[in-house]
Amino acid sequence: MINQNIRKVPSIIAIVLLAFLQSCYYDNVEDLYPSPPSCDTTNVSYSDEVWPVISSNCTGCHSGGAPSGNVSLENYDDIVRAANNGSLLGTIKHENGWSPMPKGGGKLPDCDIAKIESWVNAGTKDN
Ligand code: HEC
Protein backbone atom coordinates (compact mmCIF):
# COMPACT_ATOMS: atom_id res chain seq x y z
CA MET A 1 0.00 0.00 0.00
CA ILE A 2 2.73 2.44 1.01
CA ASN A 3 4.76 1.36 -1.97
CA GLN A 4 1.89 2.01 -4.35
CA ASN A 5 1.43 5.55 -3.06
CA ILE A 6 5.11 6.31 -3.34
CA ARG A 7 5.05 5.20 -6.96
CA LYS A 8 2.32 7.76 -7.64
CA VAL A 9 4.47 10.63 -6.40
CA PRO A 10 6.43 11.19 -9.62
CA SER A 11 3.27 11.41 -11.70
CA ILE A 12 1.72 13.83 -9.22
CA ILE A 13 4.83 15.97 -9.44
CA ALA A 14 4.66 15.76 -13.21
CA ILE A 15 1.04 16.91 -13.23
CA VAL A 16 1.76 19.82 -10.89
CA LEU A 17 4.79 20.76 -12.97
CA LEU A 18 2.80 20.62 -16.19
CA ALA A 19 0.07 22.76 -14.74
CA PHE A 20 2.69 25.22 -13.63
CA LEU A 21 4.41 25.31 -17.01
CA GLN A 22 1.07 25.66 -18.71
CA SER A 23 0.54 28.91 -16.83
CA CYS A 24 3.68 30.28 -18.46
CA TYR A 25 2.01 29.99 -21.83
CA TYR A 26 -0.91 32.12 -20.82
CA ASP A 27 -0.74 35.11 -23.13
CA ASN A 28 -3.02 38.04 -22.79
CA VAL A 29 -4.29 39.10 -26.20
CA GLU A 30 -4.62 42.69 -24.98
CA ASP A 31 -0.95 42.74 -23.96
CA LEU A 32 0.26 41.14 -27.19
CA TYR A 33 -1.80 43.26 -29.54
CA PRO A 34 -2.79 46.47 -27.75
CA SER A 35 -5.62 48.05 -29.64
CA PRO A 36 -4.68 51.39 -31.17
CA PRO A 37 -5.87 54.38 -29.21
CA SER A 38 -9.37 55.15 -30.34
CA CYS A 39 -10.03 58.14 -32.56
CA ASP A 40 -13.28 59.89 -31.85
CA THR A 41 -14.39 61.76 -34.96
CA THR A 42 -17.88 62.58 -33.76
CA ASN A 43 -18.86 66.19 -33.05
CA VAL A 44 -15.37 67.48 -33.74
CA SER A 45 -14.85 70.85 -32.11
CA TYR A 46 -13.15 73.63 -34.07
CA SER A 47 -11.59 75.29 -31.04
CA ASP A 48 -10.63 72.13 -29.14
CA GLU A 49 -9.56 69.83 -31.98
CA VAL A 50 -9.12 71.55 -35.36
CA TRP A 51 -7.45 74.80 -34.34
CA PRO A 52 -4.80 73.16 -32.11
CA VAL A 53 -3.66 70.98 -35.04
CA ILE A 54 -3.56 73.87 -37.53
CA SER A 55 -1.90 76.27 -35.14
CA SER A 56 0.86 73.85 -34.22
CA ASN A 57 1.51 72.51 -37.74
CA CYS A 58 0.55 75.18 -40.25
CA THR A 59 0.45 78.74 -39.01
CA GLY A 60 4.24 78.91 -38.73
CA CYS A 61 4.21 79.32 -42.52
CA HIS A 62 0.60 80.33 -43.16
CA SER A 63 0.17 83.50 -41.16
CA GLY A 64 1.35 87.08 -41.03
CA GLY A 65 1.83 89.58 -43.82
CA ALA A 66 3.35 87.23 -46.41
CA PRO A 67 2.00 83.73 -45.75
CA SER A 68 3.47 80.82 -47.74
CA GLY A 69 1.68 80.17 -51.01
CA ASN A 70 -0.30 83.31 -50.22
CA VAL A 71 -2.52 81.08 -48.09
CA SER A 72 -3.31 82.31 -44.60
CA LEU A 73 -4.65 79.89 -42.00
CA GLU A 74 -4.49 82.09 -38.96
CA ASN A 75 -8.16 82.29 -38.07
CA TYR A 76 -11.50 80.54 -38.41
CA ASP A 77 -12.54 82.37 -41.61
CA ASP A 78 -9.24 81.52 -43.34
CA ILE A 79 -9.52 77.87 -42.38
CA VAL A 80 -13.13 77.64 -43.53
CA ARG A 81 -12.12 79.18 -46.88
CA ALA A 82 -9.43 76.50 -47.32
CA ALA A 83 -11.90 73.83 -46.23
CA ASN A 84 -14.51 74.98 -48.75
CA ASN A 85 -12.20 75.14 -51.75
CA GLY A 86 -10.89 71.64 -51.04
CA SER A 87 -7.30 72.72 -50.42
CA LEU A 88 -7.32 71.96 -46.70
CA LEU A 89 -8.17 68.27 -47.03
CA GLY A 90 -6.36 67.96 -50.37
CA THR A 91 -3.08 69.14 -48.89
CA ILE A 92 -3.18 67.31 -45.53
CA LYS A 93 -4.34 64.05 -47.15
CA HIS A 94 -1.57 64.38 -49.74
CA GLU A 95 -4.05 64.06 -52.57
CA ASN A 96 -3.01 64.41 -56.20
CA GLY A 97 -3.13 67.97 -57.46
CA TRP A 98 -2.33 69.52 -54.08
CA SER A 99 0.97 70.44 -52.57
CA PRO A 100 1.44 67.99 -49.65
CA MET A 101 1.28 69.71 -46.24
CA PRO A 102 2.76 70.35 -43.79
CA LYS A 103 5.49 71.21 -46.27
CA GLY A 104 8.79 69.54 -45.49
CA GLY A 105 7.27 67.69 -42.53
CA GLY A 106 5.67 64.29 -42.20
CA LYS A 107 2.01 63.73 -42.83
CA LEU A 108 -0.23 64.62 -39.89
CA PRO A 109 -1.31 61.70 -37.66
CA ASP A 110 -4.22 59.75 -39.20
CA CYS A 111 -6.50 60.67 -36.31
CA ASP A 112 -5.89 64.40 -36.78
CA ILE A 113 -6.66 64.10 -40.49
CA ALA A 114 -9.79 62.05 -39.77
CA LYS A 115 -11.01 64.63 -37.26
CA ILE A 116 -10.44 67.57 -39.62
CA GLU A 117 -12.18 65.68 -42.42
CA SER A 118 -15.13 64.94 -40.16
CA TRP A 119 -15.26 68.60 -39.11
CA VAL A 120 -15.29 69.72 -42.77
CA ASN A 121 -17.95 67.19 -43.73
CA ALA A 122 -20.12 68.24 -40.80
CA GLY A 123 -20.16 71.80 -42.15
CA THR A 124 -17.12 73.51 -40.54
CA LYS A 125 -18.97 74.45 -37.37
CA ASP A 126 -17.47 77.20 -35.21
CA ASN A 127 -17.79 75.23 -31.99
C1 HEC B 1 7.35 74.99 -43.72
C2 HEC B 1 6.31 75.86 -44.21
C3 HEC B 1 4.91 75.28 -44.36
C4 HEC B 1 4.16 74.60 -43.44
C5 HEC B 1 4.55 74.18 -42.04
C6 HEC B 1 2.87 74.39 -44.05
N1 HEC B 1 2.84 74.90 -45.30
FE1 HEC B 1 1.28 74.95 -46.58
N2 HEC B 1 2.40 75.82 -47.99
C7 HEC B 1 3.74 76.19 -47.86
C8 HEC B 1 4.23 76.70 -49.12
C9 HEC B 1 5.63 77.19 -49.40
C10 HEC B 1 3.13 76.64 -50.02
C11 HEC B 1 3.13 77.06 -51.51
C12 HEC B 1 3.05 75.83 -52.37
C13 HEC B 1 4.30 75.01 -52.31
O1 HEC B 1 5.41 75.59 -52.34
O2 HEC B 1 4.19 73.79 -52.18
C14 HEC B 1 2.02 76.11 -49.28
C15 HEC B 1 0.75 75.93 -49.82
C16 HEC B 1 -0.34 75.53 -49.10
C17 HEC B 1 -1.69 75.48 -49.59
C18 HEC B 1 -2.11 75.81 -51.00
C19 HEC B 1 -1.83 74.48 -51.74
C20 HEC B 1 -2.18 74.40 -53.15
O3 HEC B 1 -1.79 73.36 -53.73
O4 HEC B 1 -2.81 75.31 -53.67
C21 HEC B 1 -2.49 75.04 -48.59
C22 HEC B 1 -3.99 74.84 -48.59
C23 HEC B 1 -1.63 74.80 -47.46
N3 HEC B 1 -0.34 75.11 -47.77
C24 HEC B 1 -2.08 74.30 -46.25
C25 HEC B 1 -1.24 73.94 -45.20
C26 HEC B 1 -1.69 73.26 -44.02
C27 HEC B 1 -3.13 72.83 -43.76
C28 HEC B 1 -0.60 73.08 -43.24
C29 HEC B 1 -0.53 72.39 -41.90
C30 HEC B 1 -1.01 71.05 -41.85
C31 HEC B 1 0.54 73.67 -43.92
N4 HEC B 1 0.11 74.16 -45.12
C32 HEC B 1 1.83 73.71 -43.42
C33 HEC B 1 4.48 76.07 -46.71
C34 HEC B 1 4.08 75.47 -45.55
Side-chain angles (χ1 to χ4, degrees):
M1 198 56 174
I2 290 165
N3 253 354
Q4 254 178 355
N5 277 340
I6 284 172
R7 264 189 275 121
K8 279 181 190 161
V9 168
S11 53
I12 289 167
I13 288 173
I15 288 166
V16 169
L17 210 72
L18 261 175
F20 175 74
L21 284 176
Q22 198 66 28
S23 70
C24 294
Y25 289 99
Y26 174 73
D27 283 326
N28 188 333
V29 175
E30 288 292 306
D31 291 342
L32 282 178
Y33 309 105
S35 50
S38 63
C39 181
D40 185 1
T41 59
T42 54
N43 291 322
V44 174
S45 154
Y46 169 74
S47 51
D48 292 343
E49 296 169 278
V50 176
W51 173 245
V53 173
I54 306 276
S55 66
S56 53
N57 294 284
C58 320
T59 49
C61 297
H62 295 287
S63 64
S68 290
N70 215 19
V71 173
S72 181
L73 295 171
E74 63 188 8
N75 56 45
Y76 174 77
D77 289 343
D78 288 345
I79 294 166
V80 168
R81 190 176 308 116
N84 289 340
N85 68 23
S87 64
L88 181 64
L89 291 179
T91 53
I92 64 173
K93 289 171 76 181
H94 294 191
E95 285 176 353
N96 281 337
W98 300 104
S99 202
M101 294 292 147
K103 195 175 183 71
K107 207 175 180 185
L108 293 177
D110 286 345
C111 186
D112 288 349
I113 296 174
K115 283 184 175 190
I116 292 175
E117 183 163 28
S118 164
W119 174 76
V120 171
N121 291 337
T124 63
K125 277 180 279 181
D126 187 5
N127 54 348

